[in-house]
Amino acid sequence: TGLTSVTIPSSVIHIGDGAFALCSGLNSVTIENGVTSIGNEVFGLCTSLTSITLPSSITSIGDWAFAFCSGLTSIIVENTTPPTVYSDTFYDVNVTACILKVPVSAISVYEETDIWKKFTNIEAYNHTTNLSSTSFQLHVSPNPAKDVVYFSEKVNKVSVYSLQGNLVYQTVINGNEMNISHLQNGMYMLRIYVTETDVVDMKVIKQ
């Protein structure tokens, strides 16, 4: 119970069964991209764990892996394809209160996939990938906006998704502004490609 934080490096492919079970003081887990599977009962009874991010490399999560993790309030899954899970993978996790955050393009898939669809709050997560500078910040203004949004950096293209994960609009920009006058009023998720590999997700409100 003395373990409070752990980092699983990318060199680890599989986290073995029960690796951190009963670590009731564990409150910080970092799993690096490269880990592909989580065994059975790995984080069972880690009652202090409040959030977990599962990188896009993870394709399967064992039975009872997060059983009795009653403190979980946020699970981020970066894989657009829902990892394989079992009926008791999230046993005793409050799937009504715990927010499941997934890529915006995959929301509808998670909502239709067994076990994952038990989470009543599935939403898109904001993420930035492959940006060379840690100080890089992309801003969108105004927000809310009526006709045009402006980007603080030149961007390549933008995909616009509904909060349900459906692609609404896609456009090549190669500039700093985008016309949104044709969109219906509401909230959208913008997937902004600064380059083909530098991607930022941001929410914007159309008025």
Side-chain angles (χ1 to χ4, degrees):
T1 58
L3 185 67
T4 58
S5 66
V6 65
T7 296
I8 313 298
S10 58
S11 57
V12 174
I13 302 301
H14 171 73
I15 305 175
D17 292 356
F20 303 101
L22 301 172
C23 291
S24 58
L26 185 64
N27 57 37
S28 175
V29 174
T30 301
I31 302 176
E32 294 184 352
N33 204 35
V35 178
T36 62
S37 61
I38 297 174
N40 299 326
E41 304 175 7
V42 169
F43 297 105
L45 280 164
C46 291
T47 52
S48 297
L49 195 62
T50 58
S51 64
I52 186 80
T53 296
L54 306 176
S56 58
S57 57
I58 288 182
T59 58
S60 66
I61 305 171
D63 212 7
W64 299 81
F66 293 97
F68 302 105
C69 291
S70 53
L72 274 175
T73 58
S74 173
I75 300 174
I76 297 177
V77 186
E78 296 181 344
N79 199 336
T80 54
T81 300
T84 300
V85 291
Y86 298 85
S87 59
D88 290 321
T89 294
F90 299 105
Y91 184 84
D92 203 39
V93 172
N94 190 336
V95 293
T96 301
C98 183
I99 299 174
L100 177 62
K101 301 181 180 181
V102 303
V104 61
S105 60
I107 290 177
S108 59
V109 179
Y110 278 84
E111 289 177 335
E112 297 169 359
T113 301
D114 285 344
I115 310 303
W116 293 109
K117 66 183 181 182
K118 291 183 178 180
F119 288 86
T120 56
N121 295 301
I122 302 179
E123 60 183 48
Y125 72 91
N126 294 332
H127 80 296
T128 302
T129 59
N130 297 333
L131 296 177
S132 56
S133 171
T134 56
S135 62
F136 182 95
Q137 285 188 318
L138 182 70
H139 300 287
V140 178
S141 62
N143 191 9
K146 185 178 181 181
D147 297 316
V148 178
V149 292
Y150 298 91
F151 305 105
S152 58
E153 303 283 341
K154 181 180 178 180
V155 303
N156 184 351
K157 62 182 180 180
V158 177
S159 298
V160 181
Y161 293 90
S162 69
L163 293 188
Q164 289 72 45
N166 298 315
L167 180 64
V168 176
Y169 175 64
Q170 194 169 37
T171 182
V172 175
I173 295 178
N174 290 323
N176 295 74
E177 64 181 71
M178 181 177 72
N179 190 312
I180 62 169
S181 61
H182 61 286
L183 297 178
Q184 295 183 355
N185 291 352
M187 182 177 290
Y188 296 90
M189 179 66 75
L190 305 184
R191 172 154 288 184
I192 305 164
Y193 294 81
V194 182
T195 68
E196 284 298 322
T197 56
D198 298 342
V199 184
V200 181
D201 286 351
M202 304 186 83
K203 287 181 181 177
V204 66
I205 297 173
K206 164 67 167 63
Q207 290 186 333

